[in-house]
Amino acid sequence: MPTASIKTAEGAFTAFFSEDGLARLKFPTNHQSDPRKKSSAASGTPHLRRWIDQTRKALQQVLAGSKPTVLPPFDLAEGTEFQKAVWLKLCTIPPGQTRTYGQLATAL
């Protein structure tokens, strides 16, 4: 699965892509990443490079408190039907707003 390290002021996110889009996003941790680990995106297809760029820009916008203008396609294939419903509902929460688990459950 192709991956890309996306460096931000908050740390490095790791994006995992399938043939259908962004499949997983690993958030930064306090652990130092292995400097030998390289992104497999440089040799990727044009659509993979576009998805990485879209992911990078969306992360920058979200971290700046703005709504992303463009998102990469999401590959939700590995989730259960319930997980997919939750993920899609999470996408409807406006930037800067929060929902409790109870509010999310009620909305679902």
Side-chain angles (χ1 to χ4, degrees):
M1 180 175 284
T3 63
S5 178
I6 300 174
K7 294 177 182 25
T8 72
E10 304 299 322
F13 289 77
T14 304
F16 299 82
F17 296 89
S18 71
E19 293 179 6
D20 296 320
L22 179 63
R24 187 166 33 123
L25 186 64
K26 183 177 178 188
F27 285 62
T29 64
N30 293 332
H31 302 30
Q32 292 289 338
S33 61
D34 184 344
R36 297 169 295 180
K37 186 178 179 183
K38 299 201 189 272
S39 169
S40 64
S43 62
T45 62
H47 71 271
L48 176 60
R49 290 191 298 271
R50 183 176 64 252
W51 294 346
I52 293 167
D53 186 53
Q54 290 170 336
T55 303
R56 178 179 294 108
K57 287 178 183 174
L59 279 171
Q60 291 168 344
Q61 291 170 329
V62 167
L63 293 172
S66 301
K67 183 176 182 175
T69 52
V70 176
L71 293 171
F74 295 135
D75 178 1
L76 306 179
E78 291 190 28
T80 65
E81 291 305 313
F82 177 73
Q83 287 173 319
K84 292 174 192 178
V86 171
W87 295 333
L88 292 173
K89 185 57 76 176
L90 289 172
C91 289
T92 68
I93 300 172
Q97 293 188 17
T98 59
R99 300 291 185 273
T100 66
Y101 288 117
Q103 289 170 321
L104 187 59
T106 299
L108 289 167

